[in-house]
Amino acid sequence: MVIRIRPRAPHATLRVVVAGILVVGFAVVGCMPGGATSSPSPAGTSAVAATSGAVGLAPSTAATPRARPDSPFGGANPLGWTAALNDLGVGPYVLVSLPTYEEAMATAASDLRDTDRPVGLVMWRGRHAWVMSGFEATADPARFDEFEVTGVRVHDPLYPHGSTVWGGSPKPDSLLTPAQLAKQYVIRDRGRVNLGVPPGWLLILPVDTEA
């Protein structure tokens, strides 16, 4: 059985949220806001509280939401992306680092399901940003602890340009297999900027304020 988590909110809702994530968050790496207009899928973040001891949580950056000079690329890093979302009022969001790809996928799906808000994927070892707006899984994360993510719906602000190093940009709302996503969503195990989290697969997770 395959569980498909698809959009529930109106299209205008995701336009606001994605604008915060893509345009404000990662104007940094030359991301170009194109075509991400589909609405978000059910989301969740109960896992943030439940796994906070096992994952790396970035310290709060509310006092300096746009400390851009710290980035060697001349723009916002994942901390700035997170802070901008919270500053814009589309949060709360938190930057986390997961030790395995599988755990990152499960956490992203679970938190997206619980909060009905998209998840930020920190791509290319921290150099780029995609948005996860939905997923397919073998069971509903809201009802079962054991499930496997079999597909991820994504939005890349670089579409249709892509990267000569990392590969092409999927069309907005493309459904990728975990193996396809893993080609560009990789571990950040080094970097010139201290993000306050250990090496791992980085996510910008929506926080469930009702949990």
Side-chain angles (χ1 to χ4, degrees):
M1 179 176 62
V2 175
I3 303 298
R4 293 179 174 86
I5 304 301
R6 296 292 293 144
R8 283 199 307 231
H11 281 217
T13 301
L14 183 63
R15 288 196 186 101
V16 173
V17 174
V18 167
I21 293 176
L22 299 183
V23 181
V24 176
F26 258 51
V28 320
V29 277
C31 292
M32 300 164 56
T37 57
S38 299
S39 52
S41 306
T45 196
S46 59
V48 169
T51 63
S52 60
V55 304
L57 294 176
S60 172
T61 56
T64 57
R66 292 183 178 84
R68 296 176 61 181
D70 291 339
S71 171
F73 303 105
N77 58 37
L79 289 176
W81 179 8
T82 306
L85 288 172
N86 295 331
D87 195 46
L88 286 169
V90 295
Y93 276 84
V94 62
L95 171 65
V96 304
S97 175
L98 283 303
T100 68
Y101 179 75
E102 292 75 18
E103 188 173 350
M105 288 293 93
T107 300
S110 179
D111 286 15
L112 188 152
R113 179 70 172 95
D114 288 346
T115 62
D116 200 18
R117 284 160 40 213
V119 171
L121 303 176
V122 181
M123 311 294 288
W124 304 355
R125 293 196 175 93
R127 295 177 176 86
H128 188 41
W130 286 12
V131 173
M132 174 179 168
S133 64
F135 65 91
E136 294 186 359
T138 55
D140 185 352
R143 298 179 57 194
F144 301 96
D145 293 333
E146 298 294 330
F147 64 92
E148 180 182 353
V149 176
T150 57
V152 179
R153 292 202 173 272
V154 298
H155 304 262
D156 178 5
L158 277 182
Y159 176 81
H161 304 284
S163 165
T164 57
V165 175
W166 293 95
S169 296
K171 293 181 180 180
D173 204 36
S174 290
L175 181 66
L176 303 186
T177 66
Q180 289 173 320
L181 180 64
K183 294 178 181 178
Q184 300 195 48
Y185 180 52
V186 297
I187 187 172
R188 184 186 189 270
D189 54 4
R190 61 186 180 277
R192 287 181 281 178
V193 176
N194 181 5
L195 299 179
V197 294
W201 281 260
L202 304 190
L203 297 170
I204 311 294
L205 289 176
V207 177
D208 188 356
T209 57
E210 298 180 359

